[in-house]
Amino acid sequence: MARKVLMLLALIGVFALIASACGEPDVVDEPDVVDEPDEVDEVDEVDEVDEDEVVDEEEPYEVGMVYDIGGRGDLSFNDSAAEGLDRAIEDFNIDTRELEPDEGGENREELLRLISGEGFDLVFGVGFLFADSIEAASGDFPDVRYGLIDGFIEDLDADSNVVSLLFAEHEGSFLVGAAAALKSEADHVGFIGGVEIDLIQKFEAGFVAGAQAVNPDIEIEIAYISQPPDFSGFADPARGQEVALGQFDAGADVVYHAAGGSGAGLFEAAKDVSEAGDTKVWAIGVDSDQYLTAPEEVQDYILTSMLKRVDTAVYDTIEALVEGRFEGGYREFGLADDGVGYSTSGGFVDDIVDELEDYKQQIIDGEIEVPERP
């Protein structure tokens, strides 16, 4: 009997626990704080604002490039500008458009205005011949920034929407002039300019000064392919080859060109003369490292190149735009900031690098003042 009473009491205890658990409806029916509509709406609104801000930040800058005659692929001045643009494409969030003027270059301003009218952030004109066109377009499109490579516009300042990108070509040309004199076995070198204008005469002046620093008695041939207003001398390889052959025939064994696309003719001439004769003659390139861009069959005749870092000027200007520190005015690139220099590809000047570096340091230190005019 006692056992039955104990079992009955145990069952009553179990039923009491069950009843107690089922009797707490407040916990189950209590509203879920996470589902409160006001708080959810506030979170959604914040997310939408953040997404819009991210889209604005990722919108690419638009950069236009109007090349000079010869365009991308000239293996010289234009290609150096293209190299800077290509580097910027890899490093920055930009969209680009590249245009090239017609054969006579008469539509430079038309192309600049075409890109400017499409709202581009920055437009480059590659070459001094863009100066007048950029000066005119910059006034009509004040919200567009312009990079004028190698050209000069008067009265620019930091607030201008144009930056004039200039180079100390005479300093770099001094070094390749010294290299020419050091390598010449005939004590006879040559210079070929594309068009006889002030800018190209800076190359001539520096080259002559460098050669004469090594050998005051050195003989120097000087020729220009065309005279202004004829600017075909920058894009006539056949004529460049003809002029170069004349200088080699006159006794020069190292010839430097500042003639844009016409320089390809110099390389061919150096190859032809070397292969036909018992002695080797040399060509010196310009603007970019032309040993790297010239056809393989002429590489062995390219002693060095005067490097004019148009690529650096283009890249730095785009970087300034992207970082919000673009300034108008003037910027010159010289030996002190590696804006100009000489190439060592091929190893043909390895034996004279110490001497060239000594001349370079003297120029940087002001011990040698390189002339800008012949």
Side-chain angles (χ1 to χ4, degrees):
M1 186 66 156
R3 259 177 90 186
K4 289 182 180 180
V5 171
L6 289 173
M7 290 179 62
L8 180 60
L9 290 173
L11 288 173
I12 291 172
V14 170
F15 285 126
L17 287 173
I18 293 173
S20 172
C22 294
E24 296 180 358
D26 290 344
V27 174
V28 175
D29 295 338
E30 185 177 356
D32 191 347
V33 174
V34 176
D35 293 332
E36 288 183 5
D38 288 342
E39 292 188 14
V40 172
D41 289 343
E42 288 177 3
V43 171
D44 288 343
E45 288 176 6
V46 171
D47 288 343
E48 287 176 6
V49 171
D50 288 342
E51 288 174 2
D52 289 343
E53 288 176 356
V54 170
V55 170
D56 289 342
E57 290 174 359
E58 292 181 351
E59 188 173 341
Y61 287 91
E62 293 184 299
V63 178
M65 177 82 72
V66 185
Y67 295 107
D68 206 349
I69 297 171
R72 181 189 278 265
D74 73 341
L75 307 180
S76 186
F77 191 73
N78 287 309
D79 271 359
S80 185
E83 182 182 345
L85 184 64
D86 290 343
R87 284 170 49 205
I89 290 171
E90 292 181 1
D91 292 349
F92 307 120
N93 184 23
I94 61 173
D95 286 338
T96 63
R97 185 174 180 188
E98 303 173 51
L99 299 175
E100 178 186 341
D102 55 29
E103 189 171 331
E106 300 299 326
N107 63 335
R108 288 184 179 87
E109 184 170 341
E110 177 186 341
L111 297 179
L112 283 168
R113 289 181 176 276
L114 174 65
I115 294 183
S116 301
E118 294 175 355
F120 272 60
D121 299 293
L122 173 63
V123 179
F124 288 97
V126 184
F128 67 94
L129 291 173
F130 282 90
D132 291 342
S133 301
I134 286 183
E135 184 172 18
S138 64
D140 294 336
F141 299 95
D143 294 331
V144 179
R145 299 147 177 113
Y146 294 89
L148 173 57
I149 299 174
D150 249 5
F152 182 84
I153 296 175
E154 292 185 357
D155 300 326
L156 297 179
D157 58 31
D159 294 328
S160 301
N161 62 332
V162 179
V163 59
S164 183
L165 304 168
L166 305 169
F167 301 85
E169 296 94 350
H170 54 304
E171 293 182 354
S173 294
F174 182 102
L175 296 183
V176 298
L182 288 166
K183 284 291 189 176
S184 175
E185 296 182 0
D187 293 329
H188 194 163
V189 299
F191 171 82
I192 300 174
V195 184
E196 193 167 9
I197 55 176
D198 289 347
L199 174 62
I200 304 305
Q201 286 180 331
K202 285 178 69 177
F203 292 82
E204 176 195 335
F207 177 77
V208 170
Q212 291 178 340
V214 173
N215 179 3
D217 299 321
I218 196 166
E219 189 172 353
I220 305 174
E221 303 287 330
I222 296 173
Y224 285 87
I225 298 174
S226 69
Q227 296 291 323
D230 177 8
F231 288 92
S232 64
F234 291 123
D236 192 343
R239 180 66 177 143
Q241 183 173 9
E242 180 183 343
V243 173
L245 287 172
Q247 294 195 349
F248 288 131
D249 287 344
D253 57 358
V254 186
V255 176
Y256 170 45
H257 88 88
S262 298
L266 166 62
F267 303 150
E268 289 293 337
K271 171 180 176 293
D272 293 344
V273 171
S274 295
E275 293 181 352
D278 295 330
T279 60
K280 186 173 187 178
V281 299
W282 293 101
I284 296 178
V286 75
D287 295 333
S288 59
D289 185 348
Q290 295 201 279
Y291 177 90
L292 300 177
T293 58
E296 185 177 354
E297 59 267 23
V298 301
Q299 287 179 331
D300 283 345
Y301 308 99
I302 301 177
L303 177 65
T304 181
S305 296
M306 196 286 281
L307 300 178
K308 183 173 177 178
R309 300 302 303 271
V310 178
D311 59 322
T312 298
V314 168
Y315 182 92
D316 286 359
T317 304
I318 295 174
E319 182 179 46
L321 171 76
V322 171
E323 294 180 354
R325 51 181 179 81
F326 177 94
E327 285 189 355
Y330 309 96
R331 183 172 180 192
E332 183 176 65
F333 298 81
L335 283 179
D337 53 10
D338 289 325
V340 295
Y342 64 95
S343 66
T344 59
S345 297
F348 304 127
V349 296
D350 286 355
D351 58 325
I352 60 171
V353 163
D354 288 345
E355 293 168 271
L356 297 180
E357 288 299 305
D358 182 54
Y359 281 122
K360 176 181 177 179
Q361 194 59 50
Q362 289 184 62
I363 294 171
I364 293 173
D365 292 342
E367 297 173 12
I368 293 178
E369 186 174 346
V370 184
E372 298 187 38
R373 292 288 176 268

